[in-house]
Amino acid sequence: MFHAASSPGPSRTPLPPAQSPASGVPGPRRPGEGGGACADRRDPFFDNAKYLAIVLVAMGHSWAPIKSGSQFLDGAYNVVYTFHMPAFIIISGFFSRNFDLRPDRLKRLLTGVVVPYVIFETAYSLFRIYVGGSSDRQISLLTPWYLTWFLVALFIWRLTAPVWRVVRWPVPLALGIAVLASVSPGVGADLDLQRVLQFLPCFVLGLCMKAEHFHMVRRRSVRIASVPVFAAALAVGWWTAPRMDVSWFYRQSAAQDLGAPWWTGPVMVLAMFGCALLLTACFFAWVPGRRTWFTALGAGTLYGYLLHGFVVKTVLYAGWFEPSWLHRPLGALLVTALAAAGVTLLCTAPVRRVFRFAMEPAMEWAFRPDLNRVTGAGGPGGDGGPVAGRAAEPETAMAG
Protein backbone atom coordinates (compact mmCIF):
# COMPACT_ATOMS: atom_id res chain seq x y z
CA MET A 1 0.00 0.00 0.00
CA PHE A 2 1.35 3.40 -0.98
CA HIS A 3 0.50 6.65 0.81
CA ALA A 4 1.35 10.22 0.03
CA ALA A 5 4.33 11.42 2.01
CA SER A 6 3.61 13.61 5.01
CA SER A 7 4.52 17.28 4.76
CA PRO A 8 4.03 20.41 6.85
CA GLY A 9 1.89 21.95 4.11
CA PRO A 10 -1.74 21.25 3.24
CA SER A 11 -2.79 17.66 3.79
CA ARG A 12 -3.05 15.42 0.75
CA THR A 13 -5.44 12.57 0.20
CA PRO A 14 -3.67 9.21 0.42
CA LEU A 15 -3.36 7.28 -2.77
CA PRO A 16 -5.73 4.31 -3.02
CA PRO A 17 -4.32 0.90 -2.14
CA ALA A 18 -2.32 -0.73 -4.86
CA GLN A 19 -4.41 -3.53 -6.33
CA SER A 20 -3.53 -6.28 -8.72
CA PRO A 21 -5.75 -6.23 -11.79
CA ALA A 22 -8.26 -9.01 -11.98
CA SER A 23 -6.52 -10.17 -15.10
CA GLY A 24 -3.30 -10.78 -13.28
CA VAL A 25 -1.51 -8.68 -15.92
CA PRO A 26 -0.64 -5.22 -14.60
CA GLY A 27 -1.23 -2.26 -16.83
CA PRO A 28 1.51 0.15 -17.87
CA ARG A 29 3.27 2.24 -15.24
CA ARG A 30 2.38 5.87 -14.76
CA PRO A 31 5.04 8.50 -15.42
CA GLY A 32 7.37 8.81 -12.49
CA GLU A 33 7.18 5.20 -11.44
CA GLY A 34 10.71 4.33 -12.59
CA GLY A 35 13.28 3.55 -9.94
CA GLY A 36 15.17 0.94 -8.07
CA ALA A 37 12.20 -1.36 -7.56
CA CYS A 38 11.74 -1.72 -11.30
CA ALA A 39 12.52 -5.41 -11.39
CA ASP A 40 9.86 -6.12 -8.78
CA ARG A 41 7.18 -4.36 -10.84
CA ARG A 42 7.95 -6.13 -14.10
CA ASP A 43 5.20 -8.59 -14.94
CA PRO A 44 6.83 -12.04 -15.21
CA PHE A 45 4.40 -13.09 -17.95
CA PHE A 46 5.85 -10.70 -20.53
CA ASP A 47 9.47 -11.48 -19.67
CA ASN A 48 8.70 -15.20 -19.84
CA ALA A 49 6.95 -14.75 -23.21
CA LYS A 50 9.86 -12.80 -24.66
CA TYR A 51 12.43 -15.32 -23.50
CA LEU A 52 10.51 -18.29 -24.89
CA ALA A 53 9.92 -16.46 -28.16
CA ILE A 54 13.60 -15.59 -28.57
CA VAL A 55 14.44 -19.26 -28.04
CA LEU A 56 12.05 -20.08 -30.90
CA VAL A 57 13.76 -17.45 -33.07
CA ALA A 58 17.20 -18.97 -32.44
CA MET A 59 15.87 -22.48 -33.04
CA GLY A 60 14.31 -21.39 -36.34
CA HIS A 61 17.54 -19.82 -37.54
CA SER A 62 19.49 -22.95 -36.61
CA TRP A 63 16.97 -25.17 -38.42
CA ALA A 64 17.21 -23.26 -41.70
CA PRO A 65 20.51 -24.86 -42.86
CA ILE A 66 19.51 -28.42 -41.88
CA LYS A 67 15.77 -28.64 -42.53
CA SER A 68 15.88 -29.52 -46.22
CA GLY A 69 16.34 -33.23 -45.50
CA SER A 70 13.35 -33.52 -43.17
CA GLN A 71 9.76 -32.79 -44.09
CA PHE A 72 8.79 -32.74 -40.40
CA LEU A 73 11.48 -30.17 -39.57
CA ASP A 74 10.45 -28.17 -42.62
CA GLY A 75 6.87 -28.14 -41.34
CA ALA A 76 7.88 -27.24 -37.78
CA TYR A 77 9.99 -24.40 -39.17
CA ASN A 78 6.97 -23.01 -41.04
CA VAL A 79 4.78 -23.27 -37.93
CA VAL A 80 7.33 -21.43 -35.78
CA TYR A 81 7.75 -18.72 -38.42
CA THR A 82 4.01 -18.24 -38.50
CA PHE A 83 3.85 -16.84 -34.97
CA HIS A 84 7.19 -16.19 -33.26
CA MET A 85 7.72 -12.67 -34.67
CA PRO A 86 3.99 -11.76 -34.44
CA ALA A 87 4.20 -12.61 -30.72
CA PHE A 88 7.11 -10.22 -30.27
CA ILE A 89 5.43 -7.54 -32.35
CA ILE A 90 2.13 -7.75 -30.47
CA ILE A 91 3.99 -7.28 -27.18
CA SER A 92 5.91 -4.37 -28.72
CA GLY A 93 2.64 -2.74 -29.72
CA PHE A 94 1.10 -3.36 -26.31
CA PHE A 95 3.97 -1.53 -24.63
CA SER A 96 3.83 1.32 -27.16
CA ARG A 97 0.26 2.29 -26.29
CA ASN A 98 1.27 5.52 -24.57
CA PHE A 99 4.08 6.48 -26.91
CA ASP A 100 3.91 10.02 -28.22
CA LEU A 101 6.37 12.51 -29.69
CA ARG A 102 7.42 13.97 -26.36
CA PRO A 103 11.15 14.86 -26.52
CA ASP A 104 12.27 12.50 -23.75
CA ARG A 105 10.47 9.60 -25.40
CA LEU A 106 12.01 10.42 -28.76
CA LYS A 107 15.38 10.41 -27.00
CA ARG A 108 14.76 6.87 -25.73
CA LEU A 109 13.63 5.81 -29.21
CA LEU A 110 16.85 7.13 -30.69
CA THR A 111 19.17 5.57 -28.11
CA GLY A 112 17.25 2.30 -27.77
CA VAL A 113 16.42 1.63 -31.43
CA VAL A 114 18.17 3.89 -33.93
CA VAL A 115 21.67 3.77 -32.43
CA PRO A 116 21.65 -0.04 -32.00
CA TYR A 117 20.43 -0.33 -35.59
CA VAL A 118 23.30 1.78 -36.94
CA ILE A 119 25.85 -0.16 -34.87
CA PHE A 120 24.58 -3.64 -35.70
CA GLU A 121 23.74 -3.02 -39.33
CA THR A 122 27.32 -1.82 -39.80
CA ALA A 123 28.72 -4.73 -37.77
CA TYR A 124 26.68 -7.33 -39.65
CA SER A 125 27.68 -5.84 -43.01
CA LEU A 126 31.39 -5.98 -42.10
CA PHE A 127 30.89 -9.53 -40.79
CA ARG A 128 29.20 -10.57 -44.04
CA ILE A 129 32.05 -9.08 -46.11
CA TYR A 130 35.12 -10.13 -44.15
CA VAL A 131 33.98 -13.34 -42.48
CA GLY A 132 31.39 -14.54 -44.97
CA GLY A 133 33.43 -13.45 -47.99
CA SER A 134 30.47 -11.74 -49.64
CA SER A 135 31.14 -10.19 -53.03
CA ASP A 136 28.68 -7.41 -52.17
CA ARG A 137 30.95 -5.05 -50.29
CA GLN A 138 28.46 -2.23 -49.86
CA ILE A 139 27.38 -1.03 -46.43
CA SER A 140 24.01 0.69 -46.56
CA LEU A 141 21.74 1.66 -43.70
CA LEU A 142 18.82 1.62 -46.14
CA THR A 143 18.96 -2.15 -46.70
CA PRO A 144 18.74 -4.03 -43.38
CA TRP A 145 20.47 -7.39 -43.47
CA TYR A 146 19.43 -10.53 -41.64
CA LEU A 147 18.12 -9.56 -38.17
CA THR A 148 18.31 -5.78 -38.14
CA TRP A 149 15.05 -5.24 -40.02
CA PHE A 150 13.14 -5.49 -36.74
CA LEU A 151 14.78 -2.34 -35.39
CA VAL A 152 13.85 -0.38 -38.52
CA ALA A 153 10.31 -1.70 -38.29
CA LEU A 154 9.97 -0.87 -34.62
CA PHE A 155 11.20 2.68 -35.22
CA ILE A 156 8.63 3.25 -37.97
CA TRP A 157 5.80 1.53 -36.11
CA ARG A 158 6.41 3.43 -32.90
CA LEU A 159 6.56 6.79 -34.67
CA THR A 160 3.12 6.05 -36.13
CA ALA A 161 1.62 4.97 -32.78
CA PRO A 162 -0.15 8.32 -32.17
CA VAL A 163 -1.89 7.98 -35.54
CA TRP A 164 -3.38 4.57 -34.74
CA ARG A 165 -4.83 5.90 -31.50
CA VAL A 166 -6.98 8.49 -33.31
CA VAL A 167 -8.36 6.51 -36.26
CA ARG A 168 -11.67 4.71 -35.81
CA TRP A 169 -10.76 1.26 -37.15
CA PRO A 170 -7.00 0.88 -36.69
CA VAL A 171 -6.61 -2.88 -37.22
CA PRO A 172 -8.72 -3.07 -40.44
CA LEU A 173 -6.84 -0.03 -41.76
CA ALA A 174 -3.48 -1.65 -40.97
CA LEU A 175 -4.65 -4.85 -42.68
CA GLY A 176 -5.63 -2.80 -45.72
CA ILE A 177 -2.13 -1.32 -45.87
CA ALA A 178 -0.59 -4.79 -45.56
CA VAL A 179 -2.83 -6.07 -48.37
CA LEU A 180 -1.80 -3.20 -50.64
CA ALA A 181 1.86 -3.88 -49.89
CA SER A 182 1.41 -7.54 -50.83
CA VAL A 183 0.39 -6.55 -54.37
CA SER A 184 2.99 -3.79 -54.78
CA PRO A 185 6.28 -5.11 -56.18
CA GLY A 186 7.57 -1.54 -56.19
CA VAL A 187 7.88 -1.70 -52.41
CA GLY A 188 11.40 -3.02 -52.49
CA ALA A 189 14.30 -3.69 -50.16
CA ASP A 190 14.73 -0.13 -48.88
CA LEU A 191 14.22 -0.27 -45.11
CA ASP A 192 12.66 -3.70 -45.70
CA LEU A 193 9.34 -1.92 -46.11
CA GLN A 194 7.48 -5.01 -47.32
CA ARG A 195 8.10 -6.66 -43.98
CA VAL A 196 7.39 -3.44 -42.08
CA LEU A 197 4.00 -3.08 -43.78
CA GLN A 198 2.98 -6.75 -43.79
CA PHE A 199 3.72 -7.11 -40.05
CA LEU A 200 2.09 -3.76 -39.26
CA PRO A 201 -1.33 -5.25 -38.31
CA CYS A 202 0.32 -7.23 -35.50
CA PHE A 203 1.82 -4.07 -34.02
CA VAL A 204 -1.45 -2.14 -34.32
CA LEU A 205 -3.33 -5.03 -32.72
CA GLY A 206 -0.92 -4.85 -29.77
CA LEU A 207 -1.60 -1.11 -29.50
CA CYS A 208 -5.32 -1.85 -29.24
CA MET A 209 -5.03 -4.62 -26.67
CA LYS A 210 -5.66 -4.31 -22.96
CA ALA A 211 -4.25 -6.30 -20.07
CA GLU A 212 -7.39 -8.40 -19.77
CA HIS A 213 -6.95 -9.66 -23.32
CA PHE A 214 -3.76 -11.44 -22.28
CA HIS A 215 -5.61 -12.90 -19.31
CA MET A 216 -8.31 -14.31 -21.61
CA VAL A 217 -5.84 -16.53 -23.47
CA ARG A 218 -4.22 -17.73 -20.24
CA ARG A 219 -7.28 -19.57 -18.99
CA ARG A 220 -7.07 -23.31 -18.46
CA SER A 221 -9.64 -23.99 -21.18
CA VAL A 222 -7.54 -22.14 -23.75
CA ARG A 223 -4.42 -23.97 -22.61
CA ILE A 224 -6.13 -27.32 -23.14
CA ALA A 225 -7.57 -26.31 -26.52
CA SER A 226 -4.16 -25.12 -27.70
CA VAL A 227 -2.76 -28.67 -27.66
CA PRO A 228 -4.87 -30.01 -30.56
CA VAL A 229 -4.48 -26.65 -32.34
CA PHE A 230 -0.69 -26.94 -32.28
CA ALA A 231 -0.92 -30.59 -33.29
CA ALA A 232 -3.11 -29.65 -36.24
CA ALA A 233 -0.74 -26.82 -37.15
CA LEU A 234 2.22 -29.22 -37.22
CA ALA A 235 0.23 -31.63 -39.39
CA VAL A 236 -0.70 -28.85 -41.83
CA GLY A 237 2.87 -27.60 -41.77
CA TRP A 238 4.14 -31.08 -42.61
CA TRP A 239 1.68 -31.38 -45.51
CA THR A 240 2.35 -27.91 -46.94
CA ALA A 241 6.15 -27.94 -46.51
CA PRO A 242 6.92 -29.39 -49.97
CA ARG A 243 4.00 -27.58 -51.59
CA MET A 244 4.35 -23.99 -50.32
CA ASP A 245 7.03 -21.36 -50.89
CA VAL A 246 8.60 -20.65 -47.50
CA SER A 247 9.03 -16.98 -48.50
CA TRP A 248 5.38 -16.38 -47.63
CA PHE A 249 6.30 -16.82 -43.97
CA TYR A 250 8.95 -14.10 -44.12
CA ARG A 251 6.41 -11.46 -45.25
CA GLN A 252 9.06 -9.65 -47.25
CA SER A 253 7.85 -10.01 -50.84
CA ALA A 254 4.87 -9.02 -52.93
CA ALA A 255 2.89 -11.83 -54.56
CA GLN A 256 4.24 -10.94 -58.01
CA ASP A 257 7.82 -11.18 -56.71
CA LEU A 258 7.10 -14.80 -55.74
CA GLY A 259 5.75 -15.62 -59.19
CA ALA A 260 2.16 -15.87 -57.89
CA PRO A 261 -1.01 -14.18 -59.19
CA TRP A 262 -1.62 -10.77 -57.61
CA TRP A 263 -4.76 -11.93 -55.78
CA THR A 264 -2.80 -14.44 -53.72
CA GLY A 265 -1.15 -11.52 -51.92
CA PRO A 266 -4.31 -10.36 -50.11
CA VAL A 267 -5.39 -13.96 -49.49
CA MET A 268 -2.05 -14.84 -47.91
CA VAL A 269 -1.87 -11.64 -45.83
CA LEU A 270 -5.26 -12.35 -44.28
CA ALA A 271 -4.57 -16.08 -43.88
CA MET A 272 -1.15 -15.54 -42.31
CA PHE A 273 -2.56 -12.88 -39.97
CA GLY A 274 -5.34 -15.21 -38.84
CA CYS A 275 -2.96 -18.14 -38.34
CA ALA A 276 -0.49 -15.90 -36.50
CA LEU A 277 -3.19 -14.72 -34.08
CA LEU A 278 -4.41 -18.26 -33.42
CA LEU A 279 -0.95 -19.71 -32.78
CA THR A 280 0.20 -16.67 -30.80
CA ALA A 281 -2.83 -17.05 -28.52
CA CYS A 282 -1.96 -20.74 -28.05
CA PHE A 283 1.66 -19.79 -27.34
CA PHE A 284 0.64 -17.18 -24.75
CA ALA A 285 -1.67 -19.73 -23.14
CA TRP A 286 1.36 -21.82 -22.15
CA VAL A 287 3.61 -18.95 -21.03
CA PRO A 288 4.01 -19.10 -17.21
CA GLY A 289 2.59 -16.14 -15.33
CA ARG A 290 4.86 -16.68 -12.32
CA ARG A 291 8.56 -15.99 -11.88
CA THR A 292 10.73 -18.81 -13.20
CA TRP A 293 14.44 -19.42 -13.61
CA PHE A 294 14.32 -17.74 -17.02
CA THR A 295 12.15 -14.72 -16.15
CA ALA A 296 15.15 -12.43 -15.62
CA LEU A 297 16.44 -13.42 -19.06
CA GLY A 298 13.37 -11.85 -20.65
CA ALA A 299 14.86 -8.42 -19.95
CA GLY A 300 17.79 -9.23 -22.22
CA THR A 301 16.10 -10.60 -25.30
CA LEU A 302 17.36 -7.83 -27.58
CA TYR A 303 20.88 -8.96 -26.72
CA GLY A 304 20.03 -12.56 -27.56
CA TYR A 305 18.27 -11.50 -30.75
CA LEU A 306 21.02 -9.31 -32.19
CA LEU A 307 24.00 -11.34 -30.99
CA HIS A 308 22.90 -14.87 -31.84
CA GLY A 309 22.96 -14.01 -35.54
CA PHE A 310 26.74 -13.77 -35.42
CA VAL A 311 26.91 -17.25 -33.90
CA VAL A 312 24.56 -18.81 -36.46
CA LYS A 313 26.33 -17.18 -39.39
CA THR A 314 29.77 -18.18 -38.04
CA VAL A 315 28.68 -21.81 -37.87
CA LEU A 316 27.21 -21.52 -41.37
CA TYR A 317 30.31 -19.89 -42.87
CA ALA A 318 32.56 -22.49 -41.22
CA GLY A 319 30.56 -25.31 -42.82
CA TRP A 320 29.65 -26.89 -39.49
CA PHE A 321 26.03 -27.39 -40.59
CA GLU A 322 27.12 -29.58 -43.50
CA PRO A 323 27.75 -33.01 -41.87
CA SER A 324 24.98 -35.36 -42.95
CA TRP A 325 24.34 -36.66 -39.43
CA LEU A 326 23.16 -33.18 -38.40
CA HIS A 327 20.34 -33.51 -40.92
CA ARG A 328 18.98 -36.59 -39.14
CA PRO A 329 16.62 -36.48 -36.12
CA LEU A 330 19.32 -36.80 -33.42
CA GLY A 331 21.47 -34.21 -35.14
CA ALA A 332 18.50 -31.82 -35.39
CA LEU A 333 17.80 -32.31 -31.68
CA LEU A 334 21.42 -31.47 -30.86
CA VAL A 335 21.34 -28.33 -33.02
CA THR A 336 18.06 -27.30 -31.38
CA ALA A 337 19.46 -27.76 -27.86
CA LEU A 338 22.64 -25.86 -28.68
CA ALA A 339 20.65 -23.00 -30.22
CA ALA A 340 18.43 -22.72 -27.13
CA ALA A 341 21.43 -22.85 -24.79
CA GLY A 342 23.37 -20.33 -26.86
CA VAL A 343 20.66 -17.69 -27.01
CA THR A 344 19.98 -18.22 -23.30
CA LEU A 345 23.63 -17.44 -22.56
CA LEU A 346 23.45 -14.30 -24.69
CA CYS A 347 20.53 -12.99 -22.61
CA THR A 348 22.41 -13.24 -19.30
CA ALA A 349 23.58 -10.32 -17.20
CA PRO A 350 27.35 -10.66 -17.90
CA VAL A 351 26.78 -10.52 -21.67
CA ARG A 352 24.46 -7.55 -21.24
CA ARG A 353 27.09 -5.69 -19.24
CA VAL A 354 29.66 -6.22 -22.00
CA PHE A 355 27.41 -5.07 -24.86
CA ARG A 356 25.38 -2.42 -23.06
CA PHE A 357 27.38 0.32 -24.80
CA ALA A 358 25.79 -0.77 -28.09
CA MET A 359 22.33 -1.78 -26.90
CA GLU A 360 21.58 0.81 -24.26
CA PRO A 361 23.93 3.77 -24.82
CA ALA A 362 23.27 6.66 -22.43
CA MET A 363 24.58 9.28 -24.88
CA GLU A 364 23.79 12.15 -22.55
CA TRP A 365 26.40 14.17 -24.42
CA ALA A 366 24.20 14.16 -27.52
CA PHE A 367 21.09 15.64 -25.91
CA ARG A 368 20.14 18.81 -24.14
CA PRO A 369 20.94 18.50 -20.42
CA ASP A 370 17.62 20.06 -19.44
CA LEU A 371 15.54 17.63 -21.53
CA ASN A 372 13.77 15.91 -18.64
CA ARG A 373 13.20 19.15 -16.79
CA VAL A 374 11.77 20.88 -19.85
CA THR A 375 9.39 18.04 -20.72
CA GLY A 376 8.42 17.18 -17.18
CA ALA A 377 9.45 13.59 -17.75
CA GLY A 378 9.04 11.39 -14.77
CA GLY A 379 11.87 9.06 -15.61
CA PRO A 380 12.26 5.90 -17.63
CA GLY A 381 9.14 3.90 -18.25
CA GLY A 382 6.86 6.92 -18.56
CA ASP A 383 5.73 5.92 -22.00
CA GLY A 384 4.23 2.71 -20.77
CA GLY A 385 7.16 0.75 -22.16
CA PRO A 386 8.50 -2.43 -20.64
CA VAL A 387 11.62 -0.74 -19.36
CA ALA A 388 12.53 1.22 -16.32
CA GLY A 389 16.09 2.22 -15.70
CA ARG A 390 19.41 0.78 -16.70
CA ALA A 391 18.72 -2.53 -14.99
CA ALA A 392 15.83 -3.24 -17.32
CA GLU A 393 15.79 -3.76 -21.05
CA PRO A 394 16.18 -1.13 -23.77
CA GLU A 395 13.47 0.70 -25.63
CA THR A 396 12.31 -2.17 -27.77
CA ALA A 397 9.81 -4.55 -26.30
CA MET A 398 11.83 -7.54 -27.38
CA ALA A 399 14.14 -6.24 -26.88
CA GLY A 400 13.89 -7.78 -28.92
Side-chain angles (χ1 to χ4, degrees), residues 209-291:
M209 291 182 69
K210 298 179 181 179
E212 51 264 31
H213 294 138
F214 289 93
H215 177 69
M216 289 172 60
V217 299
R218 294 164 60 190
R219 293 178 296 189
R220 186 171 182 269
S221 58
V222 179
R223 191 174 299 118
I224 294 173
S226 68
V227 175
V229 170
F230 266 124
L234 288 171
V236 172
W238 177 86
W239 185 82
T240 58
R243 298 171 174 84
M244 184 174 176
D245 189 340
V246 71
S247 298
W248 288 111
F249 295 94
Y250 302 145
R251 282 91 152 179
Q252 63 181 151
S253 304
Q256 297 92 322
D257 294 328
L258 299 178
W262 70 267
W263 56 265
T264 59
V267 171
M268 290 302 296
V269 164
L270 296 176
M272 294 296 291
F273 182 69
C275 292
L277 291 190
L278 178 62
L279 294 182
T280 297
C282 293
F283 169 70
F284 285 153
W286 281 96
V287 172
R290 65 188 186 282
R291 292 195 64 83

Side-chain angles (χ1 to χ4, degrees), residues 54 147 300-309 343 346-347 359:
I54 198 63
L147 304 176
T301 47
L302 180 62
Y303 292 78
Y305 177 76
L306 290 176
L307 293 173
H308 88 276
V343 78
L346 294 175
C347 293
M359 308 284 195

Side-chain angles (χ1 to χ4, degrees), residues 51-110:
Y51 167 75
L52 294 174
I54 198 63
V55 168
L56 290 175
V57 169
M59 287 165 50
H61 288 152
S62 70
W63 289 346
I66 64 171
K67 67 184 180 67
S68 57
S70 168
Q71 186 172 343
F72 176 80
L73 195 58
D74 242 338
Y77 177 89
N78 292 349
V79 171
V80 167
Y81 267 73
T82 300
F83 75 92
H84 69 349
M85 286 310 299
F88 270 131
I89 295 166
I90 288 171
I91 294 175
S92 297
F94 178 72
F95 283 112
S96 299
R97 292 171 300 161
N98 295 333
F99 182 84
D100 56 27
L101 302 182
R102 204 171 74 182
D104 62 307
R105 291 173 181 167
L106 289 176
K107 171 187 172 183
R108 292 182 60 210
L109 187 61
L110 291 173

